[in-house]
Amino acid sequence: MSPMLTVSASPHVHTGRTVSTCMWHVIIALLPALACSIYFFGVGALIVTVTALLGCMATEYVVNRWMFGNPDATLANGSAILTGLLLAFNLPSNLPVWIVLIGCVVAIGIGKMAFGGLGCNIWNPALVGRVFLLISFPVQMTSWPVPLENAWNYTDATTGATTLGMLKLGEIQATDVNLANQAIGYMGGSLGEVAAIALLIGFIYLLCVKVITWHIPVAVLGTVALFTLCLGDNVAVELLSGGLILGACFMATDYVTSPMSHRGMIVFGVLIGVITIVIRKWGAYPEGVSFAILLANSVVPLIDRYIKPRRFGERSKK
């Protein structure tokens, strides 16, 4: 009697890469930017980062234990650690611990586990937590410590405006912005908004290990550059300011919440770039990357539905 065959659902292309491998590659890619944020913002950056990591891991542990009866179901794959790190990168370094923990509960509990866990969420969990905190605690979330002046200060840090904020209010002109400082991270903002060079180093690393492709980051940055040029603004300032590089390279490229096809990725990236510029130029907020990515996440099912790759063995229709 011949042995029975087990037929599983597609796809049937096997690779040795695991979820844990991908998560840890992204975490490694973020380490240069983390080191820069700790250098510029000191102990506050360290406290916020550690709190976000522990809070996200604890929330996932509790939800796994309550929902599935297995507290270690997904904790070991690194996804909660990555969400905590990305959440910390979207927060100011003087944010109180209790607010950071609320963001962790929202990011993991609502943004991820409420949809069924890793692979089922609609929106990027870290951005869900960040936007919730921005709407709920606008004062605390828009108080930006001045870099290098608060190495040993935490909640009592001296604060100032971000580059985009000053441009929005007309306090400075684009020609007054020091692009070198923007590139190395000597500016106010969230932990992950600083050190564009460090973020690009991490992006190159992810490309080299083939965890992500170039399509989404290039589409986002290229769209922002093109629209900025058409509006007559300074392209370099728009690209280096705010969380654009972090969002384009590390958050919009999330496997679960981004399109599957390369053409879909380009459409997705262009949409993020357009929404970002619209919010920055005509919206109430000086920064719009987080809202742009979440809105684009919402239309990913439509993009995947109407922009499909050719099936194996299928010929193009005339």
Side-chain angles (χ1 to χ4, degrees), residues 12-182:
H12 299 108
V13 179
H14 180 268
T15 176
R17 179 167 292 160
T18 63
V19 173
S20 299
T21 302
C22 295
M23 295 297 172
W24 285 106
H25 275 310
V26 179
I27 292 171
I28 292 172
L30 288 170
L31 292 181
L34 176 61
C36 290
S37 67
I38 293 175
Y39 170 76
F40 283 113
F41 297 118
V43 66
L46 191 60
I47 292 174
V48 169
T49 302
V50 173
T51 303
L53 291 174
L54 295 178
C56 286
M57 293 174 66
T59 303
E60 183 150 328
Y61 176 90
V62 171
V63 175
N64 271 329
R65 186 180 183 88
W66 173 55
M67 291 180 62
F68 308 113
N70 184 5
D72 300 322
T74 58
L75 198 59
N77 62 23
S79 61
I81 297 175
L82 179 57
T83 299
L85 187 57
L86 289 173
L87 176 61
F89 271 34
N90 282 274
L91 304 176
S93 61
N94 63 340
L95 196 66
V97 168
W98 64 274
I99 297 181
V100 179
L101 292 176
I102 292 176
C104 295
V105 173
V106 173
I108 296 294
I110 299 177
K112 177 182 175 182
M113 303 305 290
F115 292 95
L118 182 64
C120 302
N121 51 290
I122 302 174
W123 300 286
N124 186 292
L127 289 181
V128 172
R130 194 258 181 182
V131 170
F132 177 85
L133 293 181
L134 181 61
I135 296 173
S136 304
F137 308 99
V139 175
Q140 294 90 335
M141 284 290 292
T142 54
S143 299
W144 313 107
V146 178
L148 295 181
E149 294 185 13
N150 303 282
W152 300 104
N153 297 328
Y154 177 34
T155 55
D156 59 343
T158 304
T159 59
T162 64
T163 301
L164 289 176
M166 290 186 288
L167 289 171
K168 187 82 171 180
L169 296 174
E171 297 178 358
I172 61 172
Q173 300 298 319
T175 54
D176 300 327
V177 178
N178 189 319
L179 294 179
N181 287 343
Q182 299 290 111

Side-chain angles (χ1 to χ4, degrees), residues 287-302:
E287 175 62 284
V289 178
S290 298
F291 295 101
I293 294 176
L294 289 177
L295 289 172
N297 288 158
S298 303
V299 300
V300 166
L302 289 176

Side-chain angles (χ1 to χ4, degrees), residues 189-229:
S190 300
L191 301 186
E193 291 184 4
V194 302
I197 294 177
L199 290 170
L200 291 176
I201 291 173
F203 169 58
I204 294 172
Y205 170 80
L206 292 181
L207 289 178
C208 291
V209 297
K210 298 182 179 180
V211 170
I212 64 173
T213 63
W214 59 268
H215 300 82
I216 293 176
V218 171
V220 174
L221 299 176
T223 301
V224 170
L226 179 61
F227 273 75
T228 301
L229 189 63

